[in-house]
Amino acid sequence: MARSWLDIDPSSDFSLANIPFGIISTPDDPSPHVGIAIGTYVLDLKILASQIGAENLLPDAAQSQTDVFAQPTLNAFAELGRPVHRHVRSQIQHLLSKDTTRPELLKNNVELREKALVPQQRVQMHLPMSIGDYTDFYAGYHHAYAVGVMFRGPQNALQPNYTHLPVGYHGRASSIVVSGTPVRRPVGQILLDPKAEPKQPTVASSRRLDIELELGCFITKSNALGQPVSIGEAEEHVFGYVLLNDWSARDIQTWEYVPLGPFNGKNFATTISPWVVLADALEPFRVKGIENSTPVQEYLKEKKEETVYDIQLEVDLTTPEGNTTTITKTSGKNLMWSFPQMIAHHTLGGCPLRSGDLLGSGTISGPVPEQSGSLLELSEGGKREIQLNGGTESRTFLKDGDTVTLRGFCVGKEGERVGFGECTGRVQG
Amino acid sequence: MARSWLDIDPSSDFSLANIPFGIISTPDDPSPHVGIAIGTYVLDLKILASQIGAENLLPDAAQSQTDVFAQPTLNAFAELGRPVHRHVRSQIQHLLSKDTTRPELLKNNVELREKALVPQQRVQMHLPMSIGDYTDFYAGYHHAYAVGVMFRGPQNALQPNYTHLPVGYHGRASSIVVSGTPVRRPVGQILLDPKAEPKQPTVASSRRLDIELELGCFITKSNALGQPVSIGEAEEHVFGYVLLNDWSARDIQTWEYVPLGPFNGKNFATTISPWVVLADALEPFRVKGIENSTPVQEYLKEKKEETVYDIQLEVDLTTPEGNTTTITKTSGKNLMWSFPQMIAHHTLGGCPLRSGDLLGSGTISGPVPEQSGSLLELSEGGKREIQLNGGTESRTFLKDGDTVTLRGFCVGKEGERVGFGECTGRVQG
Ligand SMILES: [Ca+2]
Ligand SMILES: [Ca+2]
Ligand SMILES: [Mg+2]
Ligand SMILES: [Mg+2]
Ligand code: NI
């Protein structure tokens, strides 16, 4: 892997091997537009594209498209397709490489460097895409099993369909927010005494506010209504990945979710990280997912064996007083279904996925309880206190003022790090 | 009610009392823009607004907004709010009235009439709004009960939450299509032998393709994330109504829907009628809904007793040979929850509804089986043949080549008719 002429700390998520795309606004240009993250900087692609010329950034066929970097979302860029993303990422890597063959473009162009490279703390991040539809899957087998036991007992923990298809449901696009957005604790109908008959709900603030550690996948190439995407084509429909926190009010969810699925227990906020890590940047980190002993249908069969990514995932909980505890560590490999399988299944009946649509993986938990991606699991349904650092405080579910931060990164063979940055949100009462 | 100088058949859905809004394209102007339906004509508001001046169409505060009629969706017009819609509808009614005080504007302006009034058969209709999110409720009590019996038996037909809150789930916005769009029979996982153990799904075209007769409600005024809409304010958030056919593949749905709700069984197509009937046009037709003997929470209590509309609803099934049978007749009053209640519940936890978002009522069935809004009910779960006209053909579920047409209309005290036109789709194999 080449090194950059920029000084990049080895612990940075944004190495030269990454080059994630996001929507930024800067003090000099407050209208949202496109940038990439590199080390502690953002490289402003709107400025760069206007200065170095399209021929140094875009492939021949897309050189009229420099205005995609001036757009307030990544949708137009995503629609150009993966070969274009691959080219642009590679060009940016060359420009930022110590041994670039065109140092005059950026490396030695002090004026452009000063304009186009902005320290990240001076940049505001926005939602990366205009999200038409959001679907949340349930591919984290260990989570599905553990939660199934709590909701329905060990006999019915997993429904018979679970190993035959990637179970998913339609989520709410309007409440997807970018990392840093405060999350209001939702009011809803809850059963204070679930055993009393007749059942009598109360309207109150959720007492069981939880997180779900997930990966989000953005769609790049649309399929038309009635035109399924085959499993072989599915990867070409992936733009890239983000971290996703599917905030969940367990008490609201428990009362409302039969028979049509989660609703107000999930639609008050879903937080995503601002930088979209391109699918290509994760290629070196492919691994096998959780084995499925059930033979799957032809339309779900993948040629590759390594269909998920070994992304190291962590969740920090920071109390209102500023005490931070890493409450879980797991890996993105803990999925029984891959995103290409989700895409093939989602479109099997002809449902159109559009550029900018978001798929959630489902909560990612490891095989042992300490690797759980939700407080519901970590606290065993609220029965066990999760000890925080220092030993004086604990949690079952979230308190007002708590901040939850997801992190995710891969480390390559030469130490190059490909990470997502933070996906964070603070609970407001 | 005033009469129009246009010759309007009394059986037309588009009387002077209606004035529904839609997105049209015409031979002279193929880029989608705004029109209203009147009798057998469309009045092109893009042309009208440019010719008669904003002061004759829009209220003072909105007179800079004539470009809303040149937009390819109704979202910008909807965002102006109900007082503006009320003013514009009333101005159009005056212009089209026999006794208009400004006949020079349109009635006697032959040149403008020839340009702005286009016969409906020369007009192409488009989706009326850009739909950010679509939510389907389940407020048709008779349907929920009848289907609950089939899926879960009479003991568990309705979940205990049913009478406490308007149950709903997030639907798929990307597959909402305008009336007339062909509907591809979906392929999906189905259990050919549901009783065999272990359960073994097959991938095949749905054998149980069904319809759901629903009303759709478009949102006009957005609420911010974290800001619930109170039941008292909810009506001001309604733009208007359409007919909605929630095509459903029952065999796919049955296998996939536990535990997270319907997915591929519903996301292959949802058809809506093209004309949005403004909330004001339905005001005269308010009636009481289905009584709910459970005391509801304060946030769901309405001041008005008459919270739903007595819309006469009918469904026609036309065979590939052109034989048409009206398979059901029911009324929009057969709802246990009103749209304002759905809005208050949907936003209770802070979920933002945006202008252009769509809410479905849930399938509307009357109290007796012949008034059912789905084939699932009419055929008693596929066990009974529904006889078609002529007596030689019958259906349980839909065959390839069948066309399903929903119709809906109200008839006022003086015979004035406020209707939706058609919501139609033909099944393709
Ligand atoms: Ca989830
Ligand atoms: Ca429905
Ligand atoms: Mg969520
Ligand atoms: Mg549908
Ligand atoms: Ni290298």
Side-chain angles (χ1 to χ4, degrees):
Chain A
M1 186 71 213
R3 298 195 53 192
S4 177
W5 43 262
L6 265 172
D7 187 25
I8 302 174
D9 192 282
S11 72
S12 171
D13 280 349
F14 308 124
S15 71
L16 197 60
N18 192 349
I19 316 293
F21 285 70
I23 295 295
I24 63 170
S25 54
T26 63
D28 289 345
D29 188 354
S31 63
H33 57 281
V34 177
I36 61 98
I38 182 76
T40 57
Y41 291 90
V42 160
L43 177 62
D44 186 323
L45 294 193
K46 183 179 171 187
I47 292 176
L48 187 74
S50 71
Q51 296 296 314
I52 68 169
E55 69 279 13
N56 290 306
L57 207 50
L58 287 156
D60 289 349
Q63 283 180 14
S64 62
Q65 306 285 334
T66 50
D67 65 338
V68 298
F69 301 119
Q71 301 293 315
T73 68
L74 292 173
N75 295 55
F77 178 60
E79 277 167 26
L80 297 179
R82 282 191 65 174
V84 173
H85 310 154
R86 199 166 287 144
H87 184 98
V88 173
R89 174 166 169 266
S90 161
Q91 292 296 103
I92 294 171
Q93 285 174 324
H94 280 295
L95 286 171
L96 292 169
S97 288
K98 214 167 222 168
D99 52 2
T100 175
T101 57
R102 302 292 304 277
E104 74 282 9
L105 289 177
L106 185 62
K107 183 184 177 188
N108 298 343
N109 184 341
V110 178
E111 200 186 348
L112 181 56
R113 279 175 59 167
E114 279 184 1
K115 280 205 295 197
L117 280 168
V118 190
Q120 275 168 33
Q121 66 264 33
R122 300 189 61 212
V123 169
Q124 195 191 334
M125 300 304 301
H126 303 268
L127 265 189
M129 306 202 75
S130 170
I131 302 165
D133 278 289
Y134 158 49
T135 300
D136 199 15
F137 283 90
Y138 202 46
Y141 172 86
H142 303 300
H143 168 79
Y145 182 80
V147 171
V149 170
M150 283 184 240
F151 276 63
R152 290 174 298 275
Q155 300 306 316
N156 302 305
L158 290 181
Q159 304 290 341
N161 58 19
Y162 189 85
T163 58
H164 288 280
L165 56 83
V167 169
Y169 66 100
H170 302 122
R172 181 80 194 176
S174 71
S175 51
I176 298 173
V177 296
V178 72
S179 178
T181 308
V183 171
R184 182 80 61 94
R185 179 184 297 273
V187 167
Q189 286 199 18
I190 60 183
L191 285 185
L192 291 182
D193 182 357
K195 284 174 186 157
E197 291 291 347
K199 299 197 186 300
Q200 182 51 55
T202 304
V203 175
S205 285
S206 171
R207 287 148 165 79
R208 291 164 70 92
L209 182 59
D210 199 356
I211 59 157
E212 292 193 331
L213 168 61
E214 304 195 22
L215 286 172
C217 170
F218 276 113
I219 297 296
T220 192
K221 191 168 154 185
S222 303
N223 64 298
L225 182 75
Q227 299 295 329
V229 177
S230 73
I231 188 88
E233 299 165 322
E235 274 183 28
E236 282 301 303
H237 290 251
V238 173
F239 179 48
Y241 298 91
V242 290
L243 301 172
L244 185 153
N245 184 351
D246 180 20
W247 303 88
S248 299
R250 300 300 178 189
D251 38 10
I252 297 171
Q253 183 185 353
T254 307
W255 169 236
E256 77 180 358
Y257 92 104
V258 279
L260 299 179
F263 188 54
N264 281 355
K266 297 260 190 190
N267 67 19
F268 58 94
T270 304
T271 304
I272 60 173
S273 54
W275 293 107
V276 180
V277 176
L278 295 186
D280 280 332
L282 289 173
E283 273 298 311
F285 307 104
R286 286 181 171 277
V287 288
K288 282 190 193 177
I290 295 173
E291 202 181 317
N292 184 355
S293 59
T294 302
V296 300
Q297 300 286 340
E298 205 57 35
Y299 78 96
L300 293 170
K301 277 187 191 150
E302 288 178 277
K303 281 200 182 141
K304 290 176 188 159
E305 291 209 317
E306 302 183 323
T307 61
V308 299
Y309 305 108
D310 188 15
I311 302 164
Q312 298 182 47
L313 297 168
E314 304 178 352
V315 180
D316 282 356
L317 192 158
T318 303
T319 65
E321 294 75 33
N323 179 20
T324 295
T325 307
T326 299
I327 56 173
T328 195
K329 289 190 182 192
T330 182
S331 162
K333 72 183 176 189
N334 288 307
L335 296 172
M336 181 168 272
W337 299 101
S338 70
F339 281 106
Q341 287 177 314
M342 297 178 214
I343 291 169
H345 181 68
H346 203 324
T347 61
L348 177 65
C351 181
L353 303 184
R354 296 175 292 193
S355 184
D357 285 353
L358 180 64
L359 311 179
S361 60
T363 311
I364 302 176
S365 296
V368 299
E370 310 86 80
Q371 299 170 344
S372 296
S374 71
L375 297 174
L376 184 66
E377 292 157 272
L378 290 168
S379 72
E380 296 169 17
K383 292 191 217 104
R384 199 183 72 84
E385 291 286 331
I386 304 159
Q387 295 303 319
L388 303 184
N389 284 344
T392 57
E393 275 204 285
S394 65
R395 291 288 184 276
T396 48
F397 294 98
L398 296 172
K399 287 196 175 164
D400 290 348
D402 283 352
T403 300
V404 175
T405 304
L406 317 186
R407 276 175 285 117
F409 56 92
C410 307
V411 182
K413 295 196 181 87
E414 300 173 41
E416 69 278 18
R417 189 159 152 144
V418 174
F420 291 83
E422 290 188 345
C423 175
T424 191
R426 186 168 195 262
V427 177
Q428 289 186 337
Chain B
M1 188 69 219
R3 298 196 51 194
S4 177
W5 44 261
L6 266 173
D7 187 25
I8 301 174
D9 191 283
S11 71
S12 170
D13 279 350
F14 308 124
S15 73
L16 198 58
N18 192 350
I19 315 294
F21 285 69
I23 294 295
I24 64 170
S25 55
T26 64
D28 289 346
D29 188 353
S31 62
H33 56 282
V34 178
I36 62 99
I38 181 77
T40 57
Y41 291 90
V42 161
L43 178 60
D44 185 323
L45 294 193
K46 182 178 169 186
I47 293 177
L48 187 76
S50 71
Q51 296 296 313
I52 67 170
E55 69 279 12
N56 289 305
L57 206 51
L58 287 156
D60 290 350
Q63 282 180 16
S64 62
Q65 306 284 335
T66 51
D67 66 337
V68 296
F69 301 119
Q71 300 293 314
T73 68
L74 292 172
N75 294 56
F77 177 60
E79 277 167 27
L80 297 178
R82 282 191 66 173
V84 173
H85 311 154
R86 198 168 287 143
H87 184 98
V88 173
R89 174 167 169 265
S90 162
Q91 291 296 103
I92 294 170
Q93 286 173 324
H94 280 297
L95 286 171
L96 292 170
S97 287
K98 215 166 221 167
D99 53 0
T100 175
T101 56
R102 301 291 304 277
E104 74 281 11
L105 289 177
L106 185 62
K107 183 184 176 189
N108 298 343
N109 184 341
V110 177
E111 200 186 348
L112 181 56
R113 279 173 59 168
E114 281 186 358
K115 280 206 294 195
L117 281 167
V118 189
Q120 274 167 33
Q121 65 265 33
R122 299 190 60 213
V123 169
Q124 195 192 333
M125 301 303 302
H126 304 268
L127 266 189
M129 306 201 74
S130 169
I131 302 165
D133 278 290
Y134 157 49
T135 300
D136 199 15
F137 284 90
Y138 201 47
Y141 172 86
H142 303 300
H143 168 79
Y145 183 81
V147 170
V149 169
M150 282 184 242
F151 277 63
R152 289 174 298 275
Q155 301 305 316
N156 302 306
L158 291 181
Q159 304 289 340
N161 58 20
Y162 190 85
T163 58
H164 287 280
L165 56 83
V167 169
Y169 66 101
H170 303 122
R172 181 80 195 176
S174 72
S175 52
I176 298 174
V177 296
V178 73
S179 178
T181 308
V183 171
R184 182 81 60 96
R185 178 183 299 272
V187 167
Q189 285 198 19
I190 61 183
L191 285 185
L192 291 182
D193 182 356
K195 284 173 186 159
E197 291 290 348
K199 298 196 186 301
Q200 181 52 54
T202 303
V203 175
S205 285
S206 172
R207 287 147 165 79
R208 291 163 70 94
L209 181 59
D210 198 357
I211 59 157
E212 293 193 330
L213 168 61
E214 305 195 22
L215 286 172
C217 171
F218 276 113
I219 296 297
T220 191
K221 193 170 154 182
S222 302
N223 65 297
L225 182 76
Q227 299 295 329
V229 176
S230 73
I231 187 90
E233 299 165 321
E235 273 183 28
E236 282 300 303
H237 290 251
V238 173
F239 178 49
Y241 298 91
V242 290
L243 301 173
L244 185 153
N245 184 351
D246 180 19
W247 303 88
S248 299
R250 300 302 178 189
D251 37 11
I252 297 172
Q253 184 185 355
T254 307
W255 169 236
E256 76 180 358
Y257 92 105
V258 278
L260 298 180
F263 188 56
N264 280 356
K266 297 261 190 189
N267 66 18
F268 58 94
T270 304
T271 304
I272 61 173
S273 54
W275 294 108
V276 180
V277 176
L278 295 186
D280 280 333
L282 290 173
E283 273 298 312
F285 307 104
R286 285 181 171 277
V287 288
K288 283 189 191 175
I290 295 173
E291 203 182 315
N292 184 355
S293 59
T294 302
V296 300
Q297 301 285 341
E298 204 58 36
Y299 79 96
L300 293 170
K301 276 186 192 150
E302 288 177 277
K303 281 198 181 142
K304 289 177 188 159
E305 291 209 314
E306 301 182 324
T307 60
V308 299
Y309 305 108
D310 188 15
I311 302 165
Q312 299 182 47
L313 298 168
E314 303 178 352
V315 180
D316 283 356
L317 192 158
T318 303
T319 66
E321 295 74 34
N323 178 22
T324 295
T325 307
T326 299
I327 56 173
T328 196
K329 289 189 181 192
T330 183
S331 163
K333 73 183 177 189
N334 287 308
L335 295 172
M336 181 168 273
W337 299 100
S338 70
F339 281 105
Q341 287 176 314
M342 297 178 215
I343 291 169
H345 180 68
H346 203 324
T347 62
L348 177 64
C351 181
L353 302 184
R354 296 176 292 193
S355 185
D357 285 352
L358 180 64
L359 312 179
S361 61
T363 311
I364 302 177
S365 296
V368 299
E370 310 86 79
Q371 299 170 344
S372 297
S374 71
L375 297 173
L376 184 67
E377 292 157 272
L378 291 168
S379 71
E380 296 168 17
K383 293 192 217 102
R384 198 183 72 83
E385 291 287 331
I386 304 159
Q387 294 303 317
L388 302 184
N389 284 345
T392 57
E393 275 204 284
S394 65
R395 290 288 184 276
T396 48
F397 294 98
L398 295 172
K399 287 195 175 165
D400 289 349
D402 283 351
T403 300
V404 175
T405 304
L406 317 186
R407 276 175 284 117
F409 56 93
C410 308
V411 182
K413 294 197 181 87
E414 300 173 41
E416 70 278 17
R417 188 159 152 143
V418 174
F420 291 83
E422 290 188 345
C423 175
T424 190
R426 186 167 196 263
V427 177
Q428 291 186 336

